[in-house]
Amino acid sequence: MTVLRETGLQQTGLQQVRLRQTGLRQTGLLQILAGLRWRGVAKLLVAVLLTGSQWGLAGSRVAEAQIQPYCNFSAEDITQKQTFLVGALQGDRNAGNRYRNLIEQHGDRLRRCRRESWLKNQAVWLRLYPCDARPGAIEYLMDQIVNRGYNQVYVEVFGGGQVLLPRAENNTPWPSVVRTPGFENRDLLAEAIAKGRERGLQVYAWMFSMNFGHTYAQRPGAEQILARNGRGQNSMTFNGATGINSLGEVVSEEVFIDPYNPQAKLEFYNLAQAIARRRPDGMLFDYIRYPKGNGNASVAGRVQDLWVYSPASQQALLQRALNPSGQDLIRRFLQRGYVTAQDIQDIATAYPLDGQPLWQGRSPDPLYASLTPDQARPSLQTELWQLSVAHAFQGVLDFLTAGTTPAQQVGIPAGVVFFPEGNQTVGAGGYDSRLQFWERFPSNLEWHPMSYATCGRADCIVRQVQRVLAGAPAGTRVMPVLAGTWGRSVSNRPPLETQMQSIRQSAPQINAISHFALSWQDPEGDRTRKSCRLP
């Protein structure tokens, strides 16, 4: 059978990119079909020292009592470091020197602790806001992350229709996070990387991928770029399931693009290049999928349910035909969602030299000539459905490759974020509407399964992790993402430490875990940072 070819890269100005990912060669049609069949901050810090906070004294007492095994720092360490930071921000040189020495010491202690721990990497997901451009804000944030024992932080660089690039250097279609006059050259990502590394943190860049955000949809001509299903809907008009963002807020304004659209692919590639130039320690790609539907719309069971009706995707699907009769039959299938015996008779009459309809992934059937149209129709319709599903997912894979290529060209580790259930089959021939066939993701990427199950216990979360481990090729780095907070249950999930210990017991090969998100652990601090305004 013929393998589904990469599409769109040749038309997007990426001709110089040779996509050499090991996994890409394994995810063509043959394999896919097989898988189917912040000075004001000083005041804030002083207040923290005087009153304590979820991040300060009160929070650290809980941490000291309950999560010492996770490389967190004592209340005394935290108070001393905060005192020196406040002094440094107020112009005390001696405090500044002592502060710098202390963060270096803490970085060394953190590295030693992680080397000796079963959990070699413990990460937290972080969103930055405009107020984080104030003096001392990034330092304070990174200190708190270290205080909790994290040695990695995943900073959102593209999400909510905004990019974490300085306004003066932002050549992307999306607005910069910091847009206040006078701050045009502030590069929060570069600052976060530098300040994090000073403290022994690895700083990853976390990007939304196929979800381009609401601001993108307001651009002239965007309608042709957005993903569209067979009912003429895009993700804003679709009966989509609401999600939870990094603030723990319910969101529904997800704007998914057609991964086959060359303009979308080029714009995302250029954004990934701009992020890679800042040399984060890794780049993570989220939203490598289609929308999640509600109710019946959560299942893709007919071709009209698939997001293959935008101009670029539809054209690419038609081009997968290997002869005219194959293209004609694909077109009829897209238009109606099925083919009839009369359709098969019509194409046989119109294209007598073809013999039988062919497309990528379909081998000629030696018995086809002996079949009547009624006899040939069931298998042809099944194969057209499988071709359409494979085509939809191949677009996701090609888009992921376009994003990860800038990172891999300069040696930056790349990873993909996904839902363990996103690849499920449903009923007879149906699929989870996200079409997130993660088992086909390249195994040279880090795999970050969002293990967010809610059953009040850890066992359902563990089952999600085990499901991914069972489907991952040997040698794949699986790094589960957990939701929650320390020391208490939230949203019907047990405390983080309970979740981690359960994973350790059931999957001892796991040595890296991340926590979604910083905002969940300090919601009040997050709200303050978000609502604050730069001068």
Side-chain angles (χ1 to χ4, degrees), residues 192-234:
I193 293 170
K195 299 301 182 182
R197 287 174 179 166
E198 287 175 2
R199 290 156 177 76
L201 290 168
Q202 289 186 329
V203 182
Y204 276 48
W206 157 38
M207 305 177 66
F208 286 15
S209 300
M210 288 173 56
N211 176 7
F212 274 23
H214 189 70
T215 57
Y216 191 88
Q218 310 309 308
R219 301 174 64 217
E223 179 62 30
Q224 298 302 304
I225 302 174
L226 303 185
R228 190 185 307 163
N229 63 23
R231 298 174 181 84
Q233 299 167 316
N234 58 41

Side-chain angles (χ1 to χ4, degrees), residues 17-19 21 269 285 400-410:
V17 178
R18 302 306 301 164
L19 303 177
Q21 289 177 285
Y269 174 86
F285 296 85
L400 175 61
T401 297
T404 58
T405 295
Q408 296 182 324
Q409 286 178 329
V410 294

Side-chain angles (χ1 to χ4, degrees), residues 228-309:
R228 190 185 307 163
N229 63 23
R231 298 174 181 84
Q233 299 167 316
N234 58 41
S235 59
M236 295 183 293
T237 58
F238 169 64
N239 182 25
T242 55
I244 296 178
N245 65 11
S246 61
L247 308 177
E249 300 169 334
V250 175
V251 293
S252 57
E253 292 186 350
E254 297 174 334
V255 179
F256 285 81
I257 49 82
D258 173 11
Y260 282 97
N261 186 277
Q263 180 178 336
K265 195 177 293 187
L266 178 59
E267 289 169 339
F268 189 67
Y269 174 86
N270 289 339
L271 172 58
Q273 269 196 325
I275 299 303
R277 281 196 293 269
R278 284 152 175 82
R279 296 298 191 271
D281 295 295
M283 291 176 65
L284 301 181
F285 296 85
D286 200 352
Y287 281 94
I288 299 294
R289 61 176 178 85
Y290 292 103
K292 170 69 172 178
N294 258 330
N296 292 335
S298 66
V299 178
R302 301 180 59 187
V303 68
Q304 290 94 337
D305 300 327
L306 301 179
W307 300 89
V308 297
Y309 285 83

Side-chain angles (χ1 to χ4, degrees), residues 7 15 89 111 160 170-172 211 219 232 262 291 307-308 327 339 395 417 452 455 459 496:
T7 62
Q15 294 93 330
L89 292 170
R111 280 186 287 268
N170 184 4
N171 297 314
T172 76
N211 176 7
R219 301 174 64 217
W307 300 89
V308 297
Q327 188 171 90
V339 293
V417 187
Y452 296 166
C455 63
D459 52 347
L496 290 172

